[in-house]
Amino acid sequence: MKKAAIAFVVGIFLFFTLETFHIVQWYRADVWSAVVFSFGLIVHIYVFKRRAREHEAFLLLPAAIALWMGVFSLFLLHGGTMYVLAFTIGLLEWWALSKEEWLKQPTLFCFGCSVMVSLEAGEMFLVLFVLMIGIGAYAYHTKRERANVY
């Protein structure tokens, strides 16, 4: 795994060096979105493959932000919608896997902000996506409450 990561970083560095000196003439704006997406994906794989403990779940916040910023950039969703929604998803992952109760309020606040920003942007796909996140968080929360009752 370590050799593959080193080879990946060296390959990316070599490619961008060749592109900088115009030896390779290939540039698209999607390249940086793919790099950011791959960083988030690598950290997610690291956390889930390692079966990180509850106190290490904070790594999912920057990983989710990078992962979803890459996805949203590829689909050309720019502006405040993208930033707030990526942060909300990161908080939701952290809260779901760490089981820390103090994260519930910031997650719900950011979710409300995401809904408002999505409605302002006027993109129906984004509103449905944000509502799916909220329904998932509510289902997870009620499942935990029912489990604590018995």
Side-chain angles (χ1 to χ4, degrees):
M1 177 75 177
K2 200 176 216 181
K3 289 181 182 179
I6 291 172
F8 178 75
V9 170
V10 168
I12 292 291
F13 177 74
L14 181 65
F15 175 76
F16 283 114
T17 303
L18 292 174
E19 207 275 325
T20 301
F21 291 114
H22 303 290
I23 296 170
V24 174
Q25 292 292 325
W26 182 77
Y27 180 76
R28 292 178 43 169
D30 301 345
V31 172
W32 289 110
S33 301
V35 170
V36 169
F37 173 78
S38 63
F39 169 74
L41 189 65
I42 288 169
V43 174
H44 269 86
I45 290 170
Y46 170 77
V47 168
F48 290 125
K49 186 175 182 179
R50 207 173 151 233
R51 293 186 184 103
R53 295 170 206 60
E54 292 177 6
H55 66 277
E56 294 174 339
F58 72 91
L59 291 172
L60 292 173
L61 180 64
I65 291 172
L67 182 82
W68 288 102
M69 291 290 281
V71 169
F72 294 148
S73 295
L74 286 173
F75 290 120
L76 301 174
L77 297 172
H78 297 288
T81 309
M82 179 173 65
Y83 302 117
V84 175
L85 193 55
F87 188 75
T88 302
I89 296 169
L91 274 178
L92 182 67
E93 286 183 8
W94 186 12
W95 173 55
L97 293 174
S98 70
K99 299 179 178 111
E100 303 228 6
E101 289 301 317
W102 66 271
L103 284 170
K104 187 179 359 177
Q105 286 81 18
T107 303
L108 292 175
F109 176 75
C110 287
F111 174 71
C113 291
S114 296
V115 169
M116 288 189 302
V117 170
S118 300
L119 288 173
E120 184 181 339
E123 297 179 14
M124 203 58 201
F125 169 73
L126 215 48
V127 173
L128 293 175
F129 185 72
V130 169
L131 288 177
M132 183 182 72
I133 292 170
I135 290 169
Y138 177 75
Y140 178 77
H141 177 67
T142 55
K143 177 183 165 191
R144 283 190 61 194
E145 280 186 353
R146 279 189 250 139
N148 291 337
V149 169
Y150 297 110

